[in-house]
Amino acid sequence: MHATSDDRRAISRELVELVFQVTGRLREGFTRAAADLELPPAQAQALVSLQGSARMRDLAEILACDASNVTGIVDGLEQRGLLTRQPDPADRRVKHLVLTEEGERRRAALLAQNAQAADEVFDLPERDQLALRDLLKTLVPDGRHGSCGPRP
Amino acid sequence: MHATSDDRRAISRELVELVFQVTGRLREGFTRAAADLELPPAQAQALVSLQGSARMRDLAEILACDASNVTGIVDGLEQRGLLTRQPDPADRRVKHLVLTEEGERRRAALLAQNAQAADEVFDLPERDQLALRDLLKTLVPDGRHGSCGPRP
DNA sequence: TATTGTTATACTCTATAACTATA
DNA sequence: TATAGTTATAGAGTATAACAATA
């Protein structure tokens, strides 16, 4: 007995379903963590994406959205006192985004809560975790790692 | 040598990343398929969710959104000639959503293109597909199957 | 001329509340 | 009173185009 291509197609439908279920749980976790900190999802996403000093342009790249959106998102974070816009001494067009202490705290809280949700979702014996990781790795083109965080 | 809980946490971060990469590819496929048919994502999602005759209320349930949104989405599909609102003879409050021939064609095209994207993403030896499915199944609470399609 | 960030504007998606017509 | 669908409205999120300041 061997698998027909119909069988394989049926399995791949099932895999789509399962993978969306898992992502849905992770996304729920992120959205809840953001809501707990009273942050709109887009601001929360920007916050976890920021580290050290990034330019507006960099953030737009990271968030994979148009630069015009970043203005509003950063406005929100600035109004909440979570970051400041700092001028670049060498190029007066650019602004550097620097997290405040409170911004760093909220960022750490978001990451921690997100990590906890992930631990709950991927609560498997280590052998299975590793097997799952290796299988997923074969699906993802190399070098694309780290380009995309949890999108609410 | 045994795994510390730090190791396990590191693996679960990696799993989050991988699973979002995979979902991202699937979602891209869906969005592209919708765009090819000149449908906004929500309308495309509604279209693939419709089969036979569903009431507005049912569609809201399936899409997991408020009933008030469904009006607009269905308006769009009706204006494009992809479905009609049919009265219910027994209860004059309810309307049944019935796909037109063109609606069925577009729906089939969407499903086919979506399926092809899935086949490309999950292009593995069958043994690995089955292993992946079984691992993912252990992560997803039973009975939640089929509740959620590809969300753009 | 090209680039950084901003503003103005518009479209989509989603939610709440008030409304209608039925039941 | 309760339900099915609609309308009005509002708030995120995202996109394009035009703009000012700077390179």
PDB file of all heavy atoms in Angstrom, chain B residues 13-43:
ATOM      1  N   ARG B  13      11.381  29.227  21.847  1.00  0.00           N
ATOM      2  CA  ARG B  13      11.503  30.477  21.061  1.00  0.00           C
ATOM      3  C   ARG B  13      11.710  30.160  19.585  1.00  0.00           C
ATOM      4  O   ARG B  13      11.142  30.802  18.711  1.00  0.00           O
ATOM      5  CB  ARG B  13      12.719  31.304  21.488  1.00  0.00           C
ATOM      6  CG  ARG B  13      12.841  31.762  22.869  1.00  0.00           C
ATOM      7  CD  ARG B  13      11.792  32.701  23.337  1.00  0.00           C
ATOM      8  NE  ARG B  13      11.831  32.653  24.776  1.00  0.00           N
ATOM      9  CZ  ARG B  13      11.301  31.683  25.506  1.00  0.00           C
ATOM     10  NH1 ARG B  13      10.618  30.709  24.932  1.00  0.00           N
ATOM     11  NH2 ARG B  13      11.395  31.671  26.809  1.00  0.00           N
ATOM     12  N   GLU B  14      12.562  29.178  19.348  1.00  0.00           N
ATOM     13  CA  GLU B  14      12.870  28.829  17.965  1.00  0.00           C
ATOM     14  C   GLU B  14      11.617  28.289  17.267  1.00  0.00           C
ATOM     15  O   GLU B  14      11.364  28.593  16.095  1.00  0.00           O
ATOM     16  CB  GLU B  14      13.990  27.769  17.962  1.00  0.00           C
ATOM     17  CG  GLU B  14      14.708  27.664  16.642  1.00  0.00           C
ATOM     18  CD  GLU B  14      15.857  26.662  16.707  1.00  0.00           C
ATOM     19  OE1 GLU B  14      16.131  26.124  17.804  1.00  0.00           O
ATOM     20  OE2 GLU B  14      16.470  26.415  15.646  1.00  0.00           O
ATOM     21  N   LEU B  15      10.839  27.522  18.017  1.00  0.00           N
ATOM     22  CA  LEU B  15       9.613  26.966  17.441  1.00  0.00           C
ATOM     23  C   LEU B  15       8.623  28.076  17.084  1.00  0.00           C
ATOM     24  O   LEU B  15       7.966  28.023  16.040  1.00  0.00           O
ATOM     25  CB  LEU B  15       8.978  25.975  18.424  1.00  0.00           C
ATOM     26  CG  LEU B  15       9.737  24.648  18.559  1.00  0.00           C
ATOM     27  CD1 LEU B  15       9.191  23.824  19.725  1.00  0.00           C
ATOM     28  CD2 LEU B  15       9.649  23.846  17.267  1.00  0.00           C
ATOM     29  N   VAL B  16       8.525  29.080  17.950  1.00  0.00           N
ATOM     30  CA  VAL B  16       7.648  30.214  17.643  1.00  0.00           C
ATOM     31  C   VAL B  16       8.051  30.827  16.313  1.00  0.00           C
ATOM     32  O   VAL B  16       7.229  31.034  15.419  1.00  0.00           O
ATOM     33  CB  VAL B  16       7.724  31.295  18.742  1.00  0.00           C
ATOM     34  CG1 VAL B  16       7.006  32.560  18.306  1.00  0.00           C
ATOM     35  CG2 VAL B  16       7.147  30.784  20.050  1.00  0.00           C
ATOM     36  N   GLU B  17       9.340  31.102  16.203  1.00  0.00           N
ATOM     37  CA  GLU B  17       9.858  31.722  14.990  1.00  0.00           C
ATOM     38  C   GLU B  17       9.521  30.885  13.750  1.00  0.00           C
ATOM     39  O   GLU B  17       9.010  31.390  12.750  1.00  0.00           O
ATOM     40  CB  GLU B  17      11.378  31.860  15.131  1.00  0.00           C
ATOM     41  CG  GLU B  17      12.053  32.534  13.979  1.00  0.00           C
ATOM     42  CD  GLU B  17      11.634  33.984  13.853  1.00  0.00           C
ATOM     43  OE1 GLU B  17      11.385  34.625  14.896  1.00  0.00           O
ATOM     44  OE2 GLU B  17      11.537  34.454  12.710  1.00  0.00           O
ATOM     45  N   LEU B  18       9.782  29.593  13.833  1.00  0.00           N
ATOM     46  CA  LEU B  18       9.580  28.712  12.686  1.00  0.00           C
ATOM     47  C   LEU B  18       8.107  28.646  12.299  1.00  0.00           C
ATOM     48  O   LEU B  18       7.748  28.714  11.121  1.00  0.00           O
ATOM     49  CB  LEU B  18      10.111  27.314  13.004  1.00  0.00           C
ATOM     50  CG  LEU B  18      11.634  27.209  13.046  1.00  0.00           C
ATOM     51  CD1 LEU B  18      12.075  25.899  13.714  1.00  0.00           C
ATOM     52  CD2 LEU B  18      12.211  27.301  11.632  1.00  0.00           C
ATOM     53  N   VAL B  19       7.265  28.515  13.303  1.00  0.00           N
ATOM     54  CA  VAL B  19       5.842  28.350  13.028  1.00  0.00           C
ATOM     55  C   VAL B  19       5.270  29.640  12.417  1.00  0.00           C
ATOM     56  O   VAL B  19       4.421  29.599  11.520  1.00  0.00           O
ATOM     57  CB  VAL B  19       5.149  27.925  14.350  1.00  0.00           C
ATOM     58  CG1 VAL B  19       4.100  28.898  14.772  1.00  0.00           C
ATOM     59  CG2 VAL B  19       4.592  26.526  14.237  1.00  0.00           C
ATOM     60  N   PHE B  20       5.799  30.794  12.838  1.00  0.00           N
ATOM     61  CA  PHE B  20       5.334  32.049  12.231  1.00  0.00           C
ATOM     62  C   PHE B  20       5.834  32.181  10.798  1.00  0.00           C
ATOM     63  O   PHE B  20       5.145  32.725   9.937  1.00  0.00           O
ATOM     64  CB  PHE B  20       5.766  33.254  13.069  1.00  0.00           C
ATOM     65  CG  PHE B  20       4.753  33.633  14.110  1.00  0.00           C
ATOM     66  CD1 PHE B  20       4.941  33.284  15.439  1.00  0.00           C
ATOM     67  CD2 PHE B  20       3.598  34.316  13.753  1.00  0.00           C
ATOM     68  CE1 PHE B  20       3.992  33.614  16.402  1.00  0.00           C
ATOM     69  CE2 PHE B  20       2.652  34.647  14.707  1.00  0.00           C
ATOM     70  CZ  PHE B  20       2.851  34.297  16.042  1.00  0.00           C
ATOM     71  N   GLN B  21       7.034  31.688  10.542  1.00  0.00           N
ATOM     72  CA  GLN B  21       7.531  31.705   9.165  1.00  0.00           C
ATOM     73  C   GLN B  21       6.616  30.901   8.257  1.00  0.00           C
ATOM     74  O   GLN B  21       6.249  31.334   7.159  1.00  0.00           O
ATOM     75  CB  GLN B  21       8.943  31.108   9.102  1.00  0.00           C
ATOM     76  CG  GLN B  21      10.005  31.920   9.818  1.00  0.00           C
ATOM     77  CD  GLN B  21      10.568  33.030   8.956  1.00  0.00           C
ATOM     78  OE1 GLN B  21      10.290  33.083   7.759  1.00  0.00           O
ATOM     79  NE2 GLN B  21      11.318  33.918   9.565  1.00  0.00           N
ATOM     80  N   VAL B  22       6.258  29.710   8.726  1.00  0.00           N
ATOM     81  CA  VAL B  22       5.409  28.832   7.914  1.00  0.00           C
ATOM     82  C   VAL B  22       4.042  29.472   7.694  1.00  0.00           C
ATOM     83  O   VAL B  22       3.545  29.543   6.563  1.00  0.00           O
ATOM     84  CB  VAL B  22       5.266  27.452   8.589  1.00  0.00           C
ATOM     85  CG1 VAL B  22       4.218  26.618   7.884  1.00  0.00           C
ATOM     86  CG2 VAL B  22       6.608  26.736   8.604  1.00  0.00           C
ATOM     87  N   THR B  23       3.450  29.977   8.772  1.00  0.00           N
ATOM     88  CA  THR B  23       2.140  30.619   8.647  1.00  0.00           C
ATOM     89  C   THR B  23       2.216  31.822   7.715  1.00  0.00           C
ATOM     90  O   THR B  23       1.302  32.066   6.920  1.00  0.00           O
ATOM     91  CB  THR B  23       1.630  31.071  10.017  1.00  0.00           C
ATOM     92  OG1 THR B  23       1.732  29.980  10.922  1.00  0.00           O
ATOM     93  CG2 THR B  23       0.187  31.501   9.929  1.00  0.00           C
ATOM     94  N   GLY B  24       3.300  32.569   7.818  1.00  0.00           N
ATOM     95  CA  GLY B  24       3.465  33.735   6.957  1.00  0.00           C
ATOM     96  C   GLY B  24       3.435  33.341   5.496  1.00  0.00           C
ATOM     97  O   GLY B  24       2.780  34.009   4.681  1.00  0.00           O
ATOM     98  N   ARG B  25       4.103  32.264   5.166  1.00  0.00           N
ATOM     99  CA  ARG B  25       4.100  31.831   3.760  1.00  0.00           C
ATOM    100  C   ARG B  25       2.696  31.432   3.311  1.00  0.00           C
ATOM    101  O   ARG B  25       2.271  31.745   2.205  1.00  0.00           O
ATOM    102  CB  ARG B  25       5.067  30.655   3.569  1.00  0.00           C
ATOM    103  CG  ARG B  25       6.525  31.081   3.630  1.00  0.00           C
ATOM    104  CD  ARG B  25       7.447  29.912   3.351  1.00  0.00           C
ATOM    105  NE  ARG B  25       7.267  29.337   2.025  1.00  0.00           N
ATOM    106  CZ  ARG B  25       7.810  28.191   1.624  1.00  0.00           C
ATOM    107  NH1 ARG B  25       8.568  27.502   2.463  1.00  0.00           N
ATOM    108  NH2 ARG B  25       7.618  27.742   0.413  1.00  0.00           N
ATOM    109  N   LEU B  26       1.987  30.722   4.187  1.00  0.00           N
ATOM    110  CA  LEU B  26       0.630  30.302   3.827  1.00  0.00           C
ATOM    111  C   LEU B  26      -0.288  31.519   3.660  1.00  0.00           C
ATOM    112  O   LEU B  26      -1.092  31.586   2.735  1.00  0.00           O
ATOM    113  CB  LEU B  26       0.063  29.379   4.907  1.00  0.00           C
ATOM    114  CG  LEU B  26       0.748  28.017   5.036  1.00  0.00           C
ATOM    115  CD1 LEU B  26       0.268  27.287   6.278  1.00  0.00           C
ATOM    116  CD2 LEU B  26       0.509  27.172   3.793  1.00  0.00           C
ATOM    117  N   ARG B  27      -0.136  32.487   4.566  1.00  0.00           N
ATOM    118  CA  ARG B  27      -0.990  33.667   4.514  1.00  0.00           C
ATOM    119  C   ARG B  27      -0.695  34.476   3.257  1.00  0.00           C
ATOM    120  O   ARG B  27      -1.612  34.956   2.594  1.00  0.00           O
ATOM    121  CB  ARG B  27      -0.745  34.506   5.764  1.00  0.00           C
ATOM    122  CG  ARG B  27      -1.823  35.532   6.001  1.00  0.00           C
ATOM    123  CD  ARG B  27      -1.768  36.055   7.416  1.00  0.00           C
ATOM    124  NE  ARG B  27      -0.394  36.187   7.898  1.00  0.00           N
ATOM    125  CZ  ARG B  27      -0.060  36.355   9.162  1.00  0.00           C
ATOM    126  NH1 ARG B  27      -0.995  36.384  10.084  1.00  0.00           N
ATOM    127  NH2 ARG B  27       1.188  36.478   9.516  1.00  0.00           N
ATOM    128  N   GLU B  28       0.590  34.606   2.934  1.00  0.00           N
ATOM    129  CA  GLU B  28       0.965  35.278   1.687  1.00  0.00           C
ATOM    130  C   GLU B  28       0.275  34.625   0.496  1.00  0.00           C
ATOM    131  O   GLU B  28      -0.230  35.300  -0.388  1.00  0.00           O
ATOM    132  CB  GLU B  28       2.475  35.181   1.462  1.00  0.00           C
ATOM    133  CG  GLU B  28       3.290  36.305   2.049  1.00  0.00           C
ATOM    134  CD  GLU B  28       4.779  36.028   1.872  1.00  0.00           C
ATOM    135  OE1 GLU B  28       5.173  35.509   0.807  1.00  0.00           O
ATOM    136  OE2 GLU B  28       5.549  36.291   2.825  1.00  0.00           O
ATOM    137  N   GLY B  29       0.282  33.306   0.488  1.00  0.00           N
ATOM    138  CA  GLY B  29      -0.352  32.578  -0.605  1.00  0.00           C
ATOM    139  C   GLY B  29      -1.827  32.928  -0.707  1.00  0.00           C
ATOM    140  O   GLY B  29      -2.339  33.184  -1.802  1.00  0.00           O
ATOM    141  N   PHE B  30      -2.489  32.978   0.432  1.00  0.00           N
ATOM    142  CA  PHE B  30      -3.918  33.282   0.419  1.00  0.00           C
ATOM    143  C   PHE B  30      -4.178  34.711  -0.058  1.00  0.00           C
ATOM    144  O   PHE B  30      -5.047  34.952  -0.895  1.00  0.00           O
ATOM    145  CB  PHE B  30      -4.517  33.089   1.812  1.00  0.00           C
ATOM    146  CG  PHE B  30      -5.997  33.298   1.854  1.00  0.00           C
ATOM    147  CD1 PHE B  30      -6.861  32.297   1.454  1.00  0.00           C
ATOM    148  CD2 PHE B  30      -6.530  34.507   2.270  1.00  0.00           C
ATOM    149  CE1 PHE B  30      -8.237  32.487   1.471  1.00  0.00           C
ATOM    150  CE2 PHE B  30      -7.902  34.712   2.283  1.00  0.00           C
ATOM    151  CZ  PHE B  30      -8.753  33.698   1.890  1.00  0.00           C
ATOM    152  N   THR B  31      -3.401  35.646   0.465  1.00  0.00           N
ATOM    153  CA  THR B  31      -3.587  37.043   0.101  1.00  0.00           C
ATOM    154  C   THR B  31      -3.333  37.249  -1.389  1.00  0.00           C
ATOM    155  O   THR B  31      -4.061  37.983  -2.058  1.00  0.00           O
ATOM    156  CB  THR B  31      -2.633  37.935   0.923  1.00  0.00           C
ATOM    157  OG1 THR B  31      -2.855  37.684   2.313  1.00  0.00           O
ATOM    158  CG2 THR B  31      -2.874  39.398   0.633  1.00  0.00           C
ATOM    159  N   ARG B  32      -2.324  36.570  -1.897  1.00  0.00           N
ATOM    160  CA  ARG B  32      -2.027  36.701  -3.322  1.00  0.00           C
ATOM    161  C   ARG B  32      -3.164  36.118  -4.161  1.00  0.00           C
ATOM    162  O   ARG B  32      -3.592  36.701  -5.158  1.00  0.00           O
ATOM    163  CB  ARG B  32      -0.706  36.006  -3.658  1.00  0.00           C
ATOM    164  CG  ARG B  32      -0.122  36.483  -4.967  1.00  0.00           C
ATOM    165  CD  ARG B  32       1.286  35.941  -5.218  1.00  0.00           C
ATOM    166  NE  ARG B  32       1.989  35.611  -3.988  1.00  0.00           N
ATOM    167  CZ  ARG B  32       2.262  34.383  -3.578  1.00  0.00           C
ATOM    168  NH1 ARG B  32       1.898  33.352  -4.316  1.00  0.00           N
ATOM    169  NH2 ARG B  32       2.912  34.177  -2.456  1.00  0.00           N
ATOM    170  N   ALA B  33      -3.675  34.962  -3.734  1.00  0.00           N
ATOM    171  CA  ALA B  33      -4.778  34.343  -4.462  1.00  0.00           C
ATOM    172  C   ALA B  33      -5.985  35.279  -4.475  1.00  0.00           C
ATOM    173  O   ALA B  33      -6.650  35.446  -5.507  1.00  0.00           O
ATOM    174  CB  ALA B  33      -5.144  33.006  -3.818  1.00  0.00           C
ATOM    175  N   ALA B  34      -6.273  35.904  -3.325  1.00  0.00           N
ATOM    176  CA  ALA B  34      -7.408  36.832  -3.246  1.00  0.00           C
ATOM    177  C   ALA B  34      -7.173  38.012  -4.186  1.00  0.00           C
ATOM    178  O   ALA B  34      -8.070  38.421  -4.938  1.00  0.00           O
ATOM    179  CB  ALA B  34      -7.592  37.313  -1.813  1.00  0.00           C
ATOM    180  N   ALA B  35      -5.959  38.561  -4.148  1.00  0.00           N
ATOM    181  CA  ALA B  35      -5.648  39.714  -4.987  1.00  0.00           C
ATOM    182  C   ALA B  35      -5.766  39.346  -6.466  1.00  0.00           C
ATOM    183  O   ALA B  35      -6.252  40.141  -7.269  1.00  0.00           O
ATOM    184  CB  ALA B  35      -4.246  40.234  -4.679  1.00  0.00           C
ATOM    185  N   ASP B  36      -5.342  38.141  -6.830  1.00  0.00           N
ATOM    186  CA  ASP B  36      -5.446  37.700  -8.221  1.00  0.00           C
ATOM    187  C   ASP B  36      -6.898  37.724  -8.695  1.00  0.00           C
ATOM    188  O   ASP B  36      -7.181  37.976  -9.861  1.00  0.00           O
ATOM    189  CB  ASP B  36      -4.882  36.279  -8.373  1.00  0.00           C
ATOM    190  CG  ASP B  36      -3.360  36.264  -8.295  1.00  0.00           C
ATOM    191  OD1 ASP B  36      -2.754  37.349  -8.274  1.00  0.00           O
ATOM    192  OD2 ASP B  36      -2.776  35.157  -8.241  1.00  0.00           O
ATOM    193  N   LEU B  37      -7.812  37.417  -7.763  1.00  0.00           N
ATOM    194  CA  LEU B  37      -9.231  37.417  -8.114  1.00  0.00           C
ATOM    195  C   LEU B  37      -9.868  38.771  -7.824  1.00  0.00           C
ATOM    196  O   LEU B  37     -11.091  38.923  -7.864  1.00  0.00           O
ATOM    197  CB  LEU B  37      -9.957  36.311  -7.343  1.00  0.00           C
ATOM    198  CG  LEU B  37      -9.526  34.880  -7.698  1.00  0.00           C
ATOM    199  CD1 LEU B  37     -10.184  33.880  -6.780  1.00  0.00           C
ATOM    200  CD2 LEU B  37      -9.884  34.582  -9.145  1.00  0.00           C
ATOM    201  N   GLU B  38      -9.044  39.752  -7.490  1.00  0.00           N
ATOM    202  CA  GLU B  38      -9.517  41.107  -7.206  1.00  0.00           C
ATOM    203  C   GLU B  38     -10.543  41.130  -6.085  1.00  0.00           C
ATOM    204  O   GLU B  38     -11.565  41.820  -6.160  1.00  0.00           O
ATOM    205  CB  GLU B  38     -10.068  41.757  -8.482  1.00  0.00           C
ATOM    206  CG  GLU B  38      -8.965  41.908  -9.532  1.00  0.00           C
ATOM    207  CD  GLU B  38      -9.432  42.648 -10.780  1.00  0.00           C
ATOM    208  OE1 GLU B  38     -10.648  42.723 -10.972  1.00  0.00           O
ATOM    209  OE2 GLU B  38      -8.565  43.118 -11.543  1.00  0.00           O
ATOM    210  N   LEU B  39     -10.245  40.363  -5.047  1.00  0.00           N
ATOM    211  CA  LEU B  39     -11.116  40.338  -3.866  1.00  0.00           C
ATOM    212  C   LEU B  39     -10.341  40.821  -2.648  1.00  0.00           C
ATOM    213  O   LEU B  39      -9.207  40.404  -2.428  1.00  0.00           O
ATOM    214  CB  LEU B  39     -11.597  38.909  -3.598  1.00  0.00           C
ATOM    215  CG  LEU B  39     -12.593  38.295  -4.576  1.00  0.00           C
ATOM    216  CD1 LEU B  39     -12.813  36.821  -4.262  1.00  0.00           C
ATOM    217  CD2 LEU B  39     -13.901  39.064  -4.521  1.00  0.00           C
ATOM    218  N   PRO B  40     -10.946  41.721  -1.844  1.00  0.00           N
ATOM    219  CA  PRO B  40     -10.351  42.046  -0.557  1.00  0.00           C
ATOM    220  C   PRO B  40     -10.293  40.778   0.294  1.00  0.00           C
ATOM    221  O   PRO B  40     -11.182  39.916   0.178  1.00  0.00           O
ATOM    222  CB  PRO B  40     -11.327  43.059   0.047  1.00  0.00           C
ATOM    223  CG  PRO B  40     -12.143  43.561  -1.078  1.00  0.00           C
ATOM    224  CD  PRO B  40     -12.178  42.466  -2.098  1.00  0.00           C
ATOM    225  N   PRO B  41      -9.275  40.661   1.147  1.00  0.00           N
ATOM    226  CA  PRO B  41      -9.082  39.441   1.922  1.00  0.00           C
ATOM    227  C   PRO B  41     -10.325  38.966   2.671  1.00  0.00           C
ATOM    228  O   PRO B  41     -10.621  37.771   2.674  1.00  0.00           O
ATOM    229  CB  PRO B  41      -7.973  39.827   2.902  1.00  0.00           C
ATOM    230  CG  PRO B  41      -7.200  40.878   2.188  1.00  0.00           C
ATOM    231  CD  PRO B  41      -8.190  41.635   1.375  1.00  0.00           C
ATOM    232  N   ALA B  42     -11.062  39.894   3.288  1.00  0.00           N
ATOM    233  CA  ALA B  42     -12.219  39.469   4.072  1.00  0.00           C
ATOM    234  C   ALA B  42     -13.290  38.849   3.175  1.00  0.00           C
ATOM    235  O   ALA B  42     -13.942  37.875   3.551  1.00  0.00           O
ATOM    236  CB  ALA B  42     -12.793  40.645   4.849  1.00  0.00           C
ATOM    237  N   GLN B  43     -13.461  39.431   1.993  1.00  0.00           N
ATOM    238  CA  GLN B  43     -14.434  38.854   1.067  1.00  0.00           C
ATOM    239  C   GLN B  43     -13.978  37.474   0.599  1.00  0.00           C
ATOM    240  O   GLN B  43     -14.787  36.543   0.476  1.00  0.00           O
ATOM    241  CB  GLN B  43     -14.660  39.775  -0.131  1.00  0.00           C
ATOM    242  CG  GLN B  43     -15.475  41.020   0.208  1.00  0.00           C
ATOM    243  CD  GLN B  43     -15.736  41.913  -0.995  1.00  0.00           C
ATOM    244  OE1 GLN B  43     -15.913  41.432  -2.114  1.00  0.00           O
ATOM    245  NE2 GLN B  43     -15.745  43.211  -0.774  1.00  0.00           N
TER     246      GLN B  43
END
